[in-house]
Amino acid sequence: MLCILSSSVLSAQLDSTFVETFGERSRINGGIRYRDNSAVFSVNDREELTLTNRGLALRIGGRYRWIGYTFSIPISDLGTGSELGDAKSLGANIQFYRNTFYLNANVRRTIGFERDSPDRAPEFREDIRFLNALLFGFRILNSKRFSLRSSFRLRNRQLRSAGSWLVGGAVARQVIKADSLELPLREAGTSVIDRFSQTKIGTGVGYAYTFIFGKYWFATPLLIAGPEIRFIAFDPLGTEREVERLRLSARVRGRISVGANGIRNYIALSASYLPSADNSDAFDTRVDEVQIELRIGHRIGVKD
């Protein structure tokens, strides 16, 4: 990843016939963000255990000169804690949308999940802790005519339809801890563990394209896929840690943004889907990270 981004320190000169840049130093924006972190443990495609945590938040942000800020205010847990219990979640997300590359560092720790399985009533487990960390980035090869932040951060404005190939990679770490967690096993029966972890290292090639409709409307789908190496380990209660054999699988990540990007005002609906479906010797796991965000903003001091 460092090799991919190292040649992108200096921003490429944008083609002004394709991308319009704004000289404003101040803006205000707001919106709503939906987040879904869930983990599913299954055997032979039969869902056995589901850990669910969802949330809806109000976002208020802006920029003055060189300082950018964003505040996130929780609105609802969307039923995952309204009746059974209250989940707690703390996270940090740093994103760099540059002309030549994109880089995302995201870490979130969630405490409290609703446990749901076919053989018992749903229950809220305050002892279940989930840590999810991701470092993800890619190089934008056609950076002179294609602007990713025109669609996902609305810092520029794409004037003509264009696309670009993407080359990048990702490193992810997922850890689930509990006082005791009963999981199904592939061969037969169940296993009680107190810790499950995955470390993933992958590379990928993808493509992104911005379709321009009329003067202001746009749609930008993005897809990147490639191989990924996984390291899996879990701790059964009362015994030593079990480390599974090294695994290689394919991984697909997708993003999309649609909206209207005017000279002064803009609105966009963006979504990211980072699925993680993994097979292991004992059971199958799927950790989904879904985020949908509505962004509305106004640029201050921009002339027509």
Side-chain angles (χ1 to χ4, degrees):
M1 185 177 297
L2 292 177
C3 293
I4 293 171
L5 303 181
S6 61
S7 60
S8 308
V9 176
L10 298 177
S11 298
Q13 184 66 38
L14 295 172
D15 187 336
S16 59
T17 61
F18 280 83
V19 181
E20 179 182 12
T21 60
F22 298 103
E24 102 286 355
R25 301 296 299 275
S26 302
R27 66 180 183 275
I28 55 175
N29 60 71
I32 297 176
R33 181 174 61 189
Y34 164 80
R35 175 185 53 82
D36 182 5
N37 283 343
S38 64
V40 179
F41 298 85
S42 63
V43 175
N44 299 328
D45 298 327
R46 293 183 294 106
E47 185 174 306
E48 297 287 347
L49 172 64
T50 303
L51 305 177
T52 304
N53 183 280
R54 296 185 298 270
L56 189 67
L58 176 67
R59 301 182 72 253
I60 302 174
R63 181 182 179 90
Y64 178 71
R65 296 182 182 275
W66 55 272
I67 301 176
Y69 56 91
T70 301
F71 299 98
S72 182
I73 305 172
I75 299 177
S76 172
D77 55 19
L78 299 176
T80 57
S82 59
E83 297 180 356
L84 301 176
D86 295 324
K88 299 177 181 178
S89 185
L90 179 64
N93 184 29
I94 301 176
Q95 298 187 82
F96 296 95
Y97 282 90
R98 307 304 299 170
N99 292 343
T100 54
F101 71 90
Y102 166 76
L103 184 63
N104 179 13
N106 183 18
V107 59
R108 178 169 295 275
R109 186 171 187 264
T110 304
I111 302 176
F113 284 84
E114 177 182 324
R115 184 191 189 281
D116 188 14
S117 59
D119 58 346
R120 66 181 68 182
E123 61 177 327
F124 186 80
R125 293 281 302 272
E126 294 182 351
D127 63 297
I128 298 178
R129 291 92 67 193
F130 178 42
L131 175 67
N132 189 21
L134 172 67
L135 178 62
F136 175 55
F138 50 78
R139 174 77 184 273
I140 303 170
L141 300 184
N142 186 24
S143 58
K144 292 185 177 181
R145 295 187 174 186
F146 173 79
S147 173
L148 191 69
R149 57 181 182 172
S150 292
S151 302
F152 291 91
R153 278 296 177 266
L154 297 107
R155 295 288 303 277
N156 302 325
R157 190 157 72 102
Q158 190 84 34
L159 301 177
R160 298 170 60 182
S161 299
S164 176
W165 287 100
L166 312 171
V167 180
V171 178
R173 175 70 171 171
Q174 297 167 344
V175 180
I176 297 177
K177 293 182 179 181
D179 294 343
S180 65
L181 189 62
E182 185 177 316
L183 298 179
L185 295 180
R186 191 178 303 281
E187 55 273 8
T190 60
S191 175
V192 180
I193 69 170
D194 59 11
R195 184 180 185 274
F196 173 84
S197 65
Q198 289 191 114
T199 301
K200 311 173 187 180
I201 302 174
T203 61
V205 177
Y207 195 78
Y209 194 90
T210 296
F211 300 90
I212 301 299
F213 308 98
K215 193 173 182 181
Y216 302 120
W217 293 93
F218 70 90
T220 304
L222 181 156
L223 192 67
I224 186 166
E228 182 178 81
I229 301 175
R230 295 184 287 117
F231 306 86
I232 303 173
F234 56 93
D235 298 351
L237 281 177
T239 61
E240 296 182 355
R241 175 171 299 177
E242 297 186 16
V243 179
E244 296 199 354
R245 57 188 173 86
L246 187 69
R247 291 182 175 272
L248 179 65
S249 60
R251 185 68 68 230
V252 178
R253 304 180 188 275
R255 295 174 181 265
I256 189 171
S257 180
V258 296
N261 192 1
I263 297 176
R264 293 181 177 176
N265 303 309
Y266 55 83
I267 180 172
L269 181 66
S270 61
S272 63
Y273 180 42
L274 309 177
S276 174
D278 306 311
N279 298 324
S280 66
D281 294 333
F283 43 75
D284 301 336
T285 63
R286 189 180 79 241
V287 177
D288 291 336
E289 184 177 347
V290 180
Q291 182 170 296
I292 302 174
E293 181 177 351
L294 175 65
R295 179 184 294 264
I296 303 174
H298 173 73
R299 302 183 181 96
I300 300 175
V302 176
K303 298 180 180 180
D304 293 334

